[in-house]
Structures are given as structure tokens and as C-alpha cells.
Amino acid sequence: MTSNQKCVSLLLCCISMCVKLTKPSVSLFVHWLYTQQLPTSGEEWARVIECEYSRTAHCELCLRSYVFGDRFLAPLFRRTINNFFVKCMQMYYFWQHCEQGIVTYAFTNIPPDRPILQLIADEYRVCWDHGLLFEGDEDAFTPVQQRNLPADLLVRVMEGYRARNLEASPYNAKSIRCYLEHATEQEAEMCNKLHFIFDAKKEHGQFR
């Protein structure tokens, strides 16, 4: 790490203590700031954040780093984290590698119009449908933890089941929903999937 990187890292660490952000998020941001990319392997993740790598820690780091990018007005970093998180959800189930605390943190600190929250809710519904929440794995989400889930999450899940029972049920399929944060409106228009549109007055969103 160069002297400039150390200065930036030290400054961000001081700021993070003031706003209760974690050092791994700061380390990841500094790495991204100088390389313009995220780590590409578990070993590199562990080296960058100076912590042991696990999927549980990985999920938490992504969500905390998303909040970091949002609070410090770093939209490109935030978008990079969001889109990386979306790709991770295509490889494994978030709800088998998370804890109630980080879910509450996400729904408390991320604005409700962001697609990443809807992705978490939709993943919950998929795991529930396939019985993946009660597999007995020590990292699996437990019934006790589920009782303390954020109300907004549960509302989104119920809305998902309601939509599935309507005539437009095909639009409820995850395969045709886009959870990415596009850089421009033009990029979003070129995407052939549905996007999450949030109505602030109704405090409700849907894919269109």
C-alpha cells in the first residue's frame, strides 16, 4: 500500500468510526478506489479486508459497503457493490448465509426505492417456497431469527405472493426481473427485463 493509500485509508477509518461503519467496508472501498474493481477470489477478499472469508461475512460486507457508498456519495462504488451482490445471488441463496441483524441493518439504512432490498425480499420468498430456510445448516436462517425480521421485508414478501396469484403472475418471476442499478436511463432502456419502480407517496414499489 502506498503512502497516499495509507492516508486515504486512515482518513476513511476515522470517518467510519464517526458514522459506525466497519473497517472492512473502508478497506474494500480503498481497494476499489485504486483498482476500480472488486476482489475476484475468496483469498483476495480475505487479504483486502484483513478478515477470514466466508459467505456469511461476504453478504454482510456487501450490504455494509453498499451503505458506505450511499452515505459518502460514491454512486459508482455503490452501484458496483449492488451489481456484484446481484451476481452473487445467482450463485447461492442469501438467506442460508445471513443473520437477522444484517437484514435489519439493510432495511434500516438503505432507502426503500433501491432494488437491492426487493432482491432480498424475493430471495426470501424463493427460499421459503423451496423449503431452504429450515435445512438445519448452522448458517441457515432460524425460525427464531425470522420472528424479528423487518416489517417492510415481510410486506414485500406478502406482496410477492399476492402478485403471483394475479393474472399477471408471469411478471413475478425473478428470471425476468432486473435488480441491477444501471448507470444511465439509456442503459436501463436497453435492458430487456422489468425494473423496480418505487412510489414514495404510497411507500410501495413494483416491477414494470
Side-chain angles (χ1 to χ4, degrees):
M1 183 179 288
T2 67
S3 58
N4 287 338
Q5 286 176 299
K6 290 180 179 179
C7 290
V8 172
S9 181
L10 179 60
L11 175 61
L12 290 174
C13 281
C14 292
I15 295 174
S16 70
M17 288 188 287
C18 295
V19 294
K20 299 181 181 180
L21 294 172
T22 60
K23 186 177 183 297
S25 295
V26 176
S27 299
L28 181 61
F29 178 70
V30 172
H31 172 82
W32 173 85
L33 194 63
Y34 283 92
T35 65
Q36 290 299 293
Q37 64 181 13
L38 298 178
T40 57
S41 67
E43 292 77 11
E44 188 178 6
W45 276 94
R47 178 181 59 78
V48 170
I49 64 177
E50 299 178 354
C51 294
E52 183 177 353
Y53 175 85
S54 71
R55 284 184 175 176
T56 300
H58 192 223
C59 288
E60 178 173 352
L61 176 60
C62 284
L63 292 174
R64 290 188 180 278
S65 297
Y66 184 98
V67 172
F68 181 95
D70 196 46
R71 288 184 179 178
F72 286 98
L73 303 178
L76 182 55
F77 176 68
R78 186 198 75 210
R79 189 163 58 247
T80 300
I81 290 292
N82 178 89
N83 297 349
F84 176 79
F85 186 77
V86 172
K87 292 180 180 178
C88 288
M89 294 305 96
Q90 296 173 348
M91 295 184 287
Y92 58 80
Y93 289 109
F94 168 79
W95 287 95
Q96 290 183 302
H97 303 283
C98 75
E99 297 176 348
Q100 184 268 327
I102 190 58
V103 176
T104 299
Y105 174 85
F107 276 81
T108 301
N109 292 279
I110 298 176
D113 62 329
R114 304 294 170 75
I116 193 171
L117 295 181
Q118 191 60 42
L119 172 60
I120 293 174
D122 290 346
E123 282 286 327
Y124 180 94
R125 185 165 47 80
V126 170
C127 284
W128 181 275
D129 284 343
H130 292 83
L132 299 175
L133 294 171
F134 305 100
E135 290 197 333
D137 189 293
E138 63 179 11
D139 290 329
F141 210 71
T142 68
V144 174
Q145 290 174 314
Q146 292 181 62
R147 296 191 186 104
N148 297 314
L149 289 172
D152 184 33
L153 167 69
L154 298 179
V155 170
R156 290 170 187 254
V157 172
M158 289 188 292
E159 283 290 339
Y161 279 114
R162 174 179 174 274
R164 190 173 67 177
N165 293 328
L166 297 177
E167 292 182 359
S169 59
Y171 292 98
N172 199 42
K174 273 189 60 189
S175 60
I176 62 172
R177 290 181 167 188
C178 178
Y179 300 93
L180 301 178
E181 289 191 8
H182 293 289
T184 63
E185 291 186 7
Q186 182 180 11
E187 180 181 295
E189 291 175 357
M190 294 176 63
C191 178
N192 60 0
K193 293 188 176 183
L194 301 175
H195 295 87
F196 185 68
I197 308 299
F198 187 81
D199 188 326
K201 291 183 179 180
K202 296 181 179 180
E203 296 185 354
H204 172 72
Q206 58 183 330
F207 282 86
R208 297 176 184 171

